[in-house]
């Protein structure tokens, strides 16, 4: 395989767009390195997995779990995924805490890989975005509660992007060299 011109797919699941935003930065980074990069929502991915040299799967966390469609996709296609280079990244707010932002210290990622048998070539975790104004009432109350429990901001006007973009571009470089 010519590493300079790998065919790479990025599949994402998002609710408010942060996982897509991260996916687009990864796409740009990989594109700059000469790769052919296609990006798909999990909702409409219908390509043959083995047509890709590398597949990157990203999902945000909602109420403690990754998106069901992503989990189903991984479980259904595990054998095919095992034949190519793969990456998984999780996006959540707990990862804003320095002690919870690696694949071995982020509770959602640790738990996730205990419930599935797939082992991607590489795993990463990114802190997401907190934007109370976007959330429906019930969700806002729940997130305010989670934030209060974890000593985060609870003011309903708060909008903070915790994503570390340097970490995202570094991950892009690692993905290129996989
Ligand atoms: C309804 C809802 C539930 C969430 N649940 C969690 C959670 O359990 N743990 C966590 O760390 N972050 C949680 N988050 C934060 C999201 O993971 C974070 O905002 C992320 O940036 C969302 O990415 P997305 O826009 O790609 O969906 C939640 C956000 C919402 C709106």
């Amino acid at each position: 395989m010519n590493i300079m011109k790998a065919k790479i797919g990025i599949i994402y699941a998002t609710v408010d767009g942060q996982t897509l935003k991260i996916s687009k930065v990864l796409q740009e980074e990989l594109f700059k390195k000469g790769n052919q990069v296609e990006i798909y929502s999990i909702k409409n991915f219908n390509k043959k997995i083995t047509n890709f040299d590398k597949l990157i799967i990203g999902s945000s966390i909602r109420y403690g779990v990754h998106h069901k469609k992503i989990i189903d996709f991984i479980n259904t296609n595990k054998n095919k995924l095992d034949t190519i280079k793969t990456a998984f990244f999780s996006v959540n707010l707990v990862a804003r805490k320095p002690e919870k932002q690696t694949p071995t210290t982020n509770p959602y990622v640790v738990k996730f890989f205990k419930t599935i048998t797939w082992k991607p070539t590489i795993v990463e975790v990114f802190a997401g975005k907190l934007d109370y104004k976007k959330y429906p009432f019930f969700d806002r109350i729940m997130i305010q509660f989670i934030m209060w429990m974890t000593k985060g901001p609870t003011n309903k006007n708060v909008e903070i992007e915790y994503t570390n973009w340097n970490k995202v571009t570094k991950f892009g470089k690692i993905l290129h060299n996989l």
Side-chain angles (χ1 to χ4, degrees):
M1 182 183 68
N2 178 0
I3 196 155
M4 292 307 290
K5 280 244 186 283
K7 182 164 175 182
I8 304 178
I10 304 178
I11 304 177
Y12 67 88
T14 187
V15 178
D16 293 318
Q18 196 65 11
T19 306
L20 173 59
K21 193 170 171 185
I22 292 170
S23 299
K24 283 183 173 165
V25 171
L26 291 175
Q27 179 185 33
E28 179 62 26
E29 199 59 33
L30 289 162
F31 179 73
K32 276 196 286 190
K33 298 263 183 201
N35 300 285
Q36 184 192 332
V37 196
E38 292 170 5
I39 190 162
Y40 303 91
S41 161
I42 185 66
K43 289 180 189 156
N44 48 37
F45 180 78
N46 59 2
K47 298 278 149 106
K48 223 174 135 189
I49 290 171
T50 47
N51 280 353
F52 294 92
D53 302 310
K54 301 176 191 175
L55 207 55
I56 300 153
I57 301 177
S59 173
S60 57
I61 284 279
R62 241 172 135 82
Y63 296 127
V65 288
H66 294 104
H67 293 255
K68 185 176 183 306
K69 277 196 160 74
I70 289 282
I71 300 171
D72 290 348
F73 176 81
I74 290 171
N75 285 329
T76 307
N77 295 292
K78 188 204 168 284
N79 290 346
K80 283 183 195 130
L81 290 169
D82 283 346
T83 65
I84 58 169
K85 296 273 168 83
T86 53
F88 179 83
F89 68 91
S90 176
V91 180
N92 57 76
L93 280 177
V94 160
R96 76 188 188 281
K97 297 190 166 231
E99 72 278 15
K100 293 191 176 161
Q101 54 189 222
T102 72
T104 51
T105 59
N106 186 269
Y108 305 118
V109 175
V110 171
K111 201 173 150 199
F112 181 52
F113 283 103
K114 280 188 182 153
T115 64
I116 58 168
T117 53
W118 179 54
K119 300 237 177 313
T121 319
I122 188 164
V123 180
E124 192 49 284
V125 188
F126 300 112
K129 184 175 175 179
L130 176 65
D131 189 357
Y132 285 125
K133 284 190 267 14
K134 267 197 177 172
Y135 309 153
F137 178 76
F138 173 78
D139 286 339
R140 174 163 66 74
I141 299 296
M142 290 303 287
I143 303 302
Q144 280 175 309
F145 179 66
I146 292 169
M147 281 294 145
W148 177 75
M149 298 255 294
T150 59
K151 299 184 173 57
T154 52
N155 183 307
K156 67 178 170 51
N157 296 313
V158 158
E159 180 185 339
I160 304 177
E161 189 175 64
Y162 290 101
T163 312
N164 176 341
W165 294 106
N166 277 337
K167 188 175 176 182
V168 177
T169 50
K170 264 189 203 149
F171 188 53
K173 290 189 181 87
I174 293 170
L175 293 173
H176 171 70
N177 292 316
L178 267 194

